[in-house]
């Protein structure tokens, strides 16, 4: 029988079972368990004006995320970490195809925030092979902008991190970031909208010491969930911590993509996850749950 002191200790550590698998800061901004539905995550639609064909091709390939039980031919459904559903981000079956899911918020205090998530990835199981090099990459990003009183020099800041799993059939397995700005394209004729496809495959840099071998399991229908944590200071607009499973990485060499602040995006706090395939097979990124917290 468990002692009273042991029971009390565990109760103190995990007062909320939904938060027990996370290490959040004191304010929970969002706790998204996809057993409860989409929780505000949606398709990243590209900007347009007057004509949908004005949308950049990179965005035109995006489709809506879906709720999934991780169905497969061996056992029917894999399910999530502790429930039936996960959010599924699926690419098209074309080498280099990408897809993204986004949650759009604004922030109430420019201070430290923490993103945590349990994720897994796999190509569509279409053959009796492990297919460990069919997924090119998966990752996440923030799209941020300071408040409207932040003064001259205000920026739109977009920290990106991706796990480059494979490239042209080579099993690479390393973390990369992006700070190189991409061309900004005006959309329409009213000078109100621009667009830039910041997920383009060029411009990624290796995170120093960012090599990591992730659990991939042994057949195409088995998955294991991975823990991600990314800390960012909205006041300094700087990353302070990144962790994947048991590894914490030195982020002193990391920087974000930065462009001048835009006139309509003050206090923006967008977060997105994305996936990319390396072959003519669909890549699936699954999110079991996401916790966004802040120190305020």
């Amino acid at each position: 029988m468990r002692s009273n002191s042991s029971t009390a200790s565990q109760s103190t550590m995990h007062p909320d079972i939904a938060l027990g698998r996370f290490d959040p800061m004191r304010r929970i901004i969002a706790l998204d368990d996809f057993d409860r539905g989409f929780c505000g995550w949606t398709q990243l639609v590209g900007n347009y004006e007057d004509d949908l064909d004005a949308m950049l091709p990179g965005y035109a390939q995006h489709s809506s995320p879906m709720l999934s039980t991780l169905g497969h031919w061996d056992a029917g459904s894999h399910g999530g970490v502790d429930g039936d559903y996960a959010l599924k981000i699926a690419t098209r079956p074309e080498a280099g195809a990408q897809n993204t899911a986004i949650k759009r918020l604004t922030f109430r205090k420019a201070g430290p925030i923490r993103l945590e998530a349990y994720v897994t990835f796999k190509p569509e199981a279409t053959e009796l092979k492990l297919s460990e090099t069919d997924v090119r990459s998966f990752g996440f990003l923030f799209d941020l902008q300071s408040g409207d009183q932040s003064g001259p020099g205000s920026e739109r800041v977009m920290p990106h991190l991706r796990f480059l799993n494979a490239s042209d059939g080579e099993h690479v397995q390393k973390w990369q970031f992006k700070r190189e700005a991409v061309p900004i394209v005006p959309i329409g004729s009213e000078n109100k909208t621009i667009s830039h496809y910041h997920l383009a495959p060029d411009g990624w840099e290796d995170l120093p010491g960012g090599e990591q071998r992730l659990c991939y399991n042994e057949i195409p229908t088995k998955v294991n969930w991975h823990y991600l944590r990314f800390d960012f200071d909205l006041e300094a607009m700087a990353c302070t911590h990144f962790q994947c499973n048991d590894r914490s990485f030195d982020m002193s060499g990391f920087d974000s993509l930065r462009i001048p602040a835009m006139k309509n995006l003050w206090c923006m706090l967008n977060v997105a996850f994305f996936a990319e395939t390396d072959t003519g097979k669909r890549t699936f990124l699954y999110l079991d749950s996401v916790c966004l917290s802040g120190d305020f």
Side-chain angles (χ1 to χ4, degrees):
M1 178 179 294
R2 182 182 299 164
S3 68
N4 290 338
S5 60
S6 174
T7 303
S9 174
Q10 291 187 9
S11 176
T12 301
M13 289 176 63
H14 306 301
D16 184 336
I17 192 170
L19 285 171
R21 68 172 73 111
F22 297 108
D23 293 313
M25 295 180 173
R26 56 180 171 159
R27 177 82 67 181
I28 304 300
I29 300 172
L31 177 59
D32 300 334
D33 184 331
F34 298 104
D35 286 315
R36 295 188 289 108
F38 286 93
C39 300
W41 290 81
T42 186
Q43 177 180 344
L44 176 53
V45 177
N47 293 341
Y48 57 86
E49 184 178 288
D50 297 327
D51 186 346
L52 290 176
D53 288 338
M55 188 183 303
L56 297 183
Y59 292 108
Q61 68 179 319
H62 292 175
S63 58
S64 178
M66 62 192 80
L67 298 177
S68 171
T69 60
L70 285 70
H72 62 90
W73 62 54
D74 286 322
S77 296
H78 201 292
V81 171
D82 64 355
D84 292 335
Y85 290 96
L87 190 74
K88 177 182 177 181
I89 302 168
T91 72
R92 300 175 190 274
E94 302 169 4
Q98 299 173 316
N99 201 10
T100 304
I102 188 169
K103 186 181 183 82
R104 294 189 172 95
L105 303 168
T106 52
F107 62 81
R108 56 191 275 193
K109 179 176 175 57
I113 58 172
R114 175 172 297 165
L115 174 69
E116 298 174 274
Y118 283 86
V119 309
T120 193
F121 61 100
K122 211 77 172 184
E124 185 171 22
T126 58
E127 53 186 341
L128 299 174
K129 296 179 180 179
L130 183 57
S131 307
E132 74 276 19
T133 59
D134 286 349
V135 174
R136 179 176 296 174
S137 72
F138 73 89
F140 59 90
L141 66 96
F142 277 107
D143 192 357
L144 310 164
Q145 185 164 305
S146 56
D148 65 339
Q149 301 298 304
S150 52
S154 299
E155 293 180 311
R156 181 177 174 183
V157 180
M158 306 178 71
H160 289 59
L161 268 171
R162 76 170 184 178
F163 182 72
L164 180 61
N165 178 66
S167 178
D168 296 327
E170 178 187 359
H171 207 186
V172 181
Q173 301 185 95
K174 61 183 178 184
W175 290 98
Q176 296 184 311
F177 67 101
K178 177 178 279 196
R179 57 183 162 187
E180 181 180 333
V182 298
I184 295 176
V185 180
I187 300 293
S189 57
E190 298 186 6
N191 194 31
K192 293 182 178 179
T193 304
I194 63 156
S195 192
H196 61 143
Y197 194 65
H198 46 87
L199 288 173
D202 51 333
W204 291 95
E205 302 177 46
D206 293 346
L207 184 69
E211 301 80 12
Q212 185 175 23
R213 290 175 292 176
L214 296 182
C215 180
Y216 192 78
N217 220 301
E218 298 166 304
I219 61 174
T221 59
K222 294 180 180 177
V223 301
N224 287 72
W225 297 94
H226 304 280
Y227 171 72
L228 297 175
R229 171 184 155 187
F230 182 77
D231 292 2
F232 198 83
D233 188 335
L234 295 173
E235 184 174 21
M237 286 294 182
C239 172
T240 56
H241 183 92
F242 171 56
Q243 176 181 347
C244 178
N245 291 339
D246 64 337
R247 296 272 307 279
S248 293
F249 295 88
D250 179 1
M251 301 302 282
S252 59
F254 174 89
D255 200 1
S256 305
L257 190 157
R258 298 171 185 271
I259 61 176
M262 298 178 63
K263 57 187 178 184
N264 53 343
L265 300 179
W266 305 109
C267 290
M268 183 167 64
L269 172 54
N270 289 350
V271 56
F273 284 83
F274 56 89
E276 182 179 20
T277 183
D278 203 51
T279 67
K281 190 184 294 184
R282 296 196 297 169
T283 277
F284 301 149
L285 173 65
Y286 298 99
L287 312 182
D288 170 81
S289 46
V290 178
C291 181
L292 181 64
S293 58
D295 188 16
F296 61 94

